[in-house]
Amino acid sequence: MKKALIIGFVGMALASCTATERGAGVGAATGAVIGGVATGNVRGAAVGAAVGGVSGALIGSVAEQPGRCYYRDRYGNRYIDRC
């Protein structure tokens, strides 16, 4: 019963967020799980959460801008432009 309540509260919390915030939250959670499983320690989970959170936020911010995509130029700089 406790697990169902926790999942319900997390779902409601994510429903009230913007796409960027949802992307960061889901990315951080996924990164933490993958980092923890891959390394077997808390440090790996923390690094995975940080990388996943940043990646999820970037993906989520593009989702808030319909018709916009991230591109990279030949120098490695990222920019947003029409798709």
Side-chain angles (χ1 to χ4, degrees), residues 25-35 48 52:
V26 170
T30 305
V33 170
I34 292 172

Side-chain angles (χ1 to χ4, degrees), residues 19-25 27-28 51-63 70:
T20 302
E21 293 167 339
R22 276 193 303 266
V51 171
V54 170
S55 300
L58 287 174
I59 292 168
S61 69
V62 171
Y70 272 105

Side-chain angles (χ1 to χ4, degrees), residues 3-54:
K3 289 181 184 179
L5 287 174
I6 290 172
I7 291 171
F9 286 132
V10 170
M12 287 189 305
L14 285 176
S16 65
C17 297
T18 65
T20 302
E21 293 167 339
R22 276 193 303 266
V26 170
T30 305
V33 170
I34 292 172
V37 168
T39 62
N41 61 29
V42 176
R43 180 180 287 173
V47 170
V51 171
V54 170

